[in-house]
Every structure is written in C-alpha cells, then in structure tokens.
Amino acid sequence: ILNVEQSPQSLHVQEGDSTNFTCSFPSSNFYALHWYRWETAKSPEALFVMTLNGDEKKKGRISATLNTKEGYSYLYIKGSQPEDSATYLCAFIPRGSTLGRLYFGRGTQLTVWP
Amino acid sequence: DVKVTQSSRYLVKRTGEKVFLECVQDMDHENMFWYRQDPGLGLRLIYFSYDVKMKEKGDIPEGYSVSREKKERFSLILESASTNQTSMYLCASSYLQGTDTQYFGPGTRLTVL
C-alpha cells in the first residue's frame, strides 16, 4: 500500500484567512496527482489533476502546486469563505498503476468560521 | 452532466444478512470502483473493475465480493454482514486512461446491527 500523507488532519480558520495544506507522496515513481473536495452530505468533487513537475493550477480562490522531485503538493485557499468548509483529499497515481487506480490520503478537514 | 447513482443513501441490516449495494453510472466509463470511508482512515479501495465481468481486489477486499454484468452497473456484495462493515460506502467511475478523474456517487451509509 502506497503512503500518501496529508497534513494537517484538520484546520479551523476565520473567514477571510488564507490557508494551505500539504500532500506528500513517493517521489520516485510519480505519474499524476488529483485533488478533490468533499463537502458534508455531498459526493467528492474533482478540483485538479496535476501531472508535471512545477505545475500550478487555479480555480477561483483555490490553487495548487506540484513538486514531483521532492514528492509534495500544496493546496492554497485565498480569503477562505464558510462555503470552503470541506474535507480536501489528494490522490496519487504511481507510474505503472493499474488502470486509473487512485491512492488517497486521509484528507484535511477545513472549517471556516464566519 | 456526469452522474453516478447509488441505490440507497442509508441502509440498516442485521449481522449475517446478505447485503447488495448497487452503483450505476451513465457516462459509459470503463472503470468502476468501490471504496469505504471510515473516520480518520480516508478512502480505502475495496474492489475495482475495468471492464464487464472483470474485477480486481483493492486494499481491503475481505468480506466483500463484486459483480459487473453490465458496463454501467457495479454491485458490491456483503455475503454475511458483520458489525465491522458499518461504514460509508462510495462508488466511483472513470474512463480507462490513467490520469482520468473519478466521479463519485453520493454514498451509502450502511449500519450493521
């Protein structure tokens, strides 16, 4: 089983704060990395797919960076809003992985207080 | 619009019962997956399938089996439910390509008494 680590496990911030969290993965056989957002009572929803070292993706106030050489990705949220409250999951695909299988981290649970 | 549906949002069963969880996708995806989510443990893969009648074990297949008779439908079967199978079960699907996004259903919260 591949080790995909996310930190912190949970995070509480005030509305308007910017925040970031980390996903660490094995750097030796990287193929792709996904970020998902999972709101309570909803389905996990894809945010980004990242494949190249140095990739930076952006969607509104959320952005992500990727460092495949050192094996980490950061997710940033600028000016957090209560609707950003969710669990953020990263999922790693190693080179040679069987047919689209994802290896998920345990997630970072973000709570944004108004 | 992409859609993955699961047969029940909430299910309560008794120990020893046979339980079927159904998942249907309407996107003509080749891959389908079953996960369970438990507090503090993240999403853990139970089984997946990349074609009709094909299946592969994930990380925690013990106590489960699956069936994929049609491309759009993937069933998870608990042959004899036990209390440690109380969990949230999520189905997902994706195209065959390795980096493709997985699309998730709403989940089934199963309680085994």
Side-chain angles (χ1 to χ4, degrees), chain A residues 2-114:
Chain A
L2 285 168
N3 204 24
V4 181
E5 300 282 346
Q6 289 189 250
S7 62
Q9 189 175 339
S10 66
L11 199 52
H12 296 253
V13 302
Q14 288 293 131
E15 183 175 355
D17 287 351
S18 292
T19 186
N20 66 86
F21 21 94
T22 307
C23 173
S24 302
F25 52 83
S27 58
S28 57
N29 61 340
F30 176 85
Y31 185 65
L33 188 88
H34 290 235
W35 281 100
Y36 286 83
R37 174 170 58 199
W38 192 3
E39 296 178 67
T40 304
K42 293 187 178 179
S43 309
E45 175 190 42
L47 286 172
F48 306 115
V49 180
M50 309 183 81
T51 56
L52 296 173
N53 185 42
D55 244 358
E56 185 166 340
K57 300 268 175 126
K58 192 171 179 182
K59 189 175 185 176
R61 292 178 293 96
I62 303 178
S63 60
T65 61
L66 178 68
N67 184 324
T68 60
K69 295 187 189 309
E70 295 183 38
Y72 65 84
S73 175
Y74 292 142
L75 191 79
Y76 299 92
I77 303 178
K78 186 177 177 183
S80 304
Q81 300 296 309
E83 57 265 30
D84 295 328
S85 297
T87 297
Y88 291 82
L89 297 168
C90 72
F92 172 69
I93 303 179
R95 208 181 311 122
S97 172
T98 306
L99 299 169
R101 177 181 169 168
L102 299 178
Y103 293 83
F104 282 90
R106 295 186 182 190
T108 293
Q109 187 171 11
L110 174 67
T111 305
V112 183
W113 299 103

Side-chain angles (χ1 to χ4, degrees), chain A residues 1 9 31-32 34 36 38 41-46 49 51 89 93 98-106, chain B residues 9 31 33 35 37 40-43 45 48 50 57-59 90 96-102 104-106:
Chain A
I1 297 177
Q9 189 175 339
Y31 185 65
H34 290 235
Y36 286 83
W38 192 3
K42 293 187 178 179
S43 309
E45 175 190 42
V49 180
T51 56
L89 297 168
I93 303 179
T98 306
L99 299 169
R101 177 181 169 168
L102 299 178
Y103 293 83
F104 282 90
R106 295 186 182 190
Chain B
R9 289 302 298 268
N31 292 343
F33 306 83
Y35 296 91
Q37 161 77 10
L41 294 179
L43 282 172
L45 182 65
F48 65 105
Y50 54 90
K57 291 181 181 179
D59 297 324
L90 283 156
L96 197 60
Q97 300 305 313
T99 61
D100 267 355
T101 296
Q102 287 187 13
F104 286 84

Side-chain angles (χ1 to χ4, degrees), chain B residues 19-32:
Chain B
V19 182
F20 292 87
L21 301 182
E22 304 283 342
C23 175
V24 178
Q25 51 94 4
D26 65 359
M27 297 161 283
D28 203 34
H29 284 166
E30 292 86 2
N31 292 343
M32 296 188 76

Side-chain angles (χ1 to χ4, degrees), chain B residues 1-5 25-27 29 93 95 101-104:
Chain B
D1 200 16
V2 159
K3 202 155 187 185
V4 180
T5 56
Q25 51 94 4
D26 65 359
M27 297 161 283
H29 284 166
S93 70
Y95 286 113
T101 296
Q102 287 187 13
Y103 295 89
F104 286 84

Side-chain angles (χ1 to χ4, degrees), chain B residues 78-91:
Chain B
L78 288 66
E79 294 289 341
S80 177
S82 63
T83 54
N84 63 13
Q85 292 178 310
T86 292
S87 187
M88 168 70 89
Y89 290 88
L90 283 156
C91 174

